[in-house]
Amino acid sequence: MSCAIVGLSRCAYYYQPKLPDDSVIVSVLSAITDKHLRWGFPKCFNRIRKLGYKWNHKRVYRVYCELKLNLRVKRKQHIPPRSPEGYQYPINKVSAGQWIL
């Protein structure tokens, strides 16, 4: 009766979600990343598919992120070349006749 007052079905009140067992995914991912250190997620996922597992890419990526394998690669910052202060860039020397088509 209390479920009817709240507007909740009895099935929803007693529902216990089944948590997925990701231990197999963890072991496969850790084996792949131990062997190939520089591989990112797409290569790891393709290798998992070639091994015959049919897991969803979203599920595998969630486990991949939980293992902290999705670290961003920090690239070197580009430093612009220094130009000498007295240097002047050459001016384009075009005669007046070349502008007429």
Side-chain angles (χ1 to χ4, degrees):
M1 202 159 171
S2 61
C3 288
I5 292 170
V6 177
L8 184 67
S9 67
R10 286 176 37 198
C11 296
Y13 179 74
Y14 288 108
Y15 176 74
Q16 295 293 325
K18 298 172 190 162
L19 298 176
D21 183 27
D22 296 329
S23 60
V24 179
I25 300 174
V26 169
S27 63
V28 171
L29 266 176
S30 61
I32 290 173
T33 54
D34 288 343
K35 190 173 181 182
H36 305 281
L37 300 174
R38 301 286 298 165
W39 280 13
F41 174 73
K43 277 192 174 184
C44 290
F45 184 70
N46 287 338
R47 176 57 61 102
I48 287 172
R49 281 296 171 108
K50 285 182 181 179
L51 292 174
Y53 298 104
K54 298 293 181 185
W55 296 311
N56 189 346
H57 73 278
K58 293 175 277 190
R59 181 178 181 185
V60 176
Y61 187 70
R62 178 179 50 81
V63 174
Y64 184 83
C65 292
E66 286 174 0
L67 293 175
K68 305 271 191 219
L69 297 174
N70 61 332
L71 299 177
R72 186 174 68 90
V73 177
K74 293 185 178 179
R75 305 207 184 269
K76 285 186 177 180
Q77 292 184 354
H78 177 71
I79 300 172
R82 295 184 184 180
S83 61
E85 293 185 8
Y87 183 77
Q88 292 189 5
Y89 294 99
I91 300 172
N92 291 337
K93 295 182 180 179
V94 179
S95 65
Q98 290 180 346
W99 288 100
I100 301 171
L101 297 177

